[in-house]
Amino acid sequence: MRLSLPLLLLLGTWAAPRGLGEKAWLSATAPQLDEEEKYSAHMPAHLRCDACRAVSYQMWQHLAKAEAKLHHPDSWGTQGLSESIYTDILDRCCSQNWQDYGVQEVNQVKHLTGPGLSKGTEPTISVMITGGPWPVRLSETCFHYLGEFGEDQIYKAHQQGQGALEALLCGGSQGACLDKETATRKEL
């Protein structure tokens, strides 16, 4: 689907003038999803690194928010969350709606996009597809990591920092982000 500037203007997009009297026409197309991206119950392999990073970010955010509520400015030392609290928080994290995430295609490469995922080079205008299978796939990915690593190990990594949590979930010899070249697929 190609969107022309007049339609984009209705959607809140605008065009900047190039020079005196010239207007730059902008257009964007929605990502063309293949059969696996549309219908598979699982996260496509080329999007698993992005999915892992999104899950890692959300886990870190949920745990950090709970810890901030626990700590008061006048408290002495740092007190961690109890096992029952961080287990509940991680379960709620995986059960969230994940509606802020979707797929975007830039330079014929598809990526998940949303909170915690680096933007890289952003096009002037783009279209992101949200909803559909992506929220369910992200939730299942999140629960997969809870089962694979367990809440205790995830919380210990969180206490070491956001990078340590992402390294635990997404790195390692079997991690989703092991090889960015094979994790990213270019569409021809």
Side-chain angles (χ1 to χ4, degrees):
M1 162 172 79
R2 281 189 77 74
L3 301 174
S4 65
L5 184 58
L7 177 58
L8 291 173
L9 287 172
L10 292 174
L11 299 173
T13 307
W14 55 278
R18 281 189 185 165
L20 294 175
E22 289 184 47
K23 291 184 180 177
W25 288 95
L26 302 175
S27 67
T29 58
Q32 298 300 311
L33 303 179
D34 63 26
E35 297 299 309
E36 179 186 25
E37 293 162 340
K38 287 181 195 174
Y39 305 116
S40 174
H42 305 288
M43 186 64 69
H46 61 282
L47 297 173
R48 287 185 187 149
C49 180
D50 289 341
C52 183
R53 291 178 45 242
V55 166
S56 171
Y57 176 79
Q58 287 297 321
M59 286 180 173
W60 186 80
Q61 284 288 314
H62 279 77
L63 290 167
K65 191 176 192 179
E67 286 175 334
K69 288 180 183 177
L70 178 68
H71 301 296
H72 300 289
D74 57 346
S75 65
W76 294 88
T78 56
Q79 177 183 347
L81 299 172
S82 69
E83 182 178 359
S84 63
I85 298 290
Y86 67 72
T87 299
D88 183 53
I89 289 166
L90 289 169
D91 186 58
R92 280 188 281 134
C93 174
C94 293
S95 299
Q96 69 179 304
N97 67 24
W98 299 94
Q99 292 297 321
D100 292 336
Y101 292 90
V103 174
Q104 182 178 43
E105 189 170 352
V106 178
N107 297 325
Q108 293 143 351
V109 178
K110 294 173 194 157
H111 292 282
L112 283 179
T113 186
L117 297 176
S118 64
K119 305 290 185 202
T121 36
E122 283 288 313
T124 305
I125 187 170
S126 64
V127 176
M128 177 174 124
I129 297 176
T130 60
W134 306 113
V136 172
R137 290 174 181 163
L138 284 164
S139 180
E140 288 174 354
T141 299
C142 187
F143 280 115
H144 166 78
Y145 290 127
L146 281 183
E148 183 176 344
F149 296 103
E151 291 88 346
D152 295 339
Q153 191 174 0
I154 289 171
Y155 185 60
K156 285 177 186 169
H158 161 77
Q159 290 177 310
Q160 296 171 11
Q162 187 175 358
L165 180 57
E166 186 173 311
L168 171 70
L169 300 180
C170 309
S173 61
Q174 300 296 316
C177 297
L178 176 64
D179 183 0
K180 286 291 260 187
E181 290 299 315
T182 57
T184 303
R185 177 176 66 175
K186 290 190 175 188
E187 299 294 327
L188 299 176

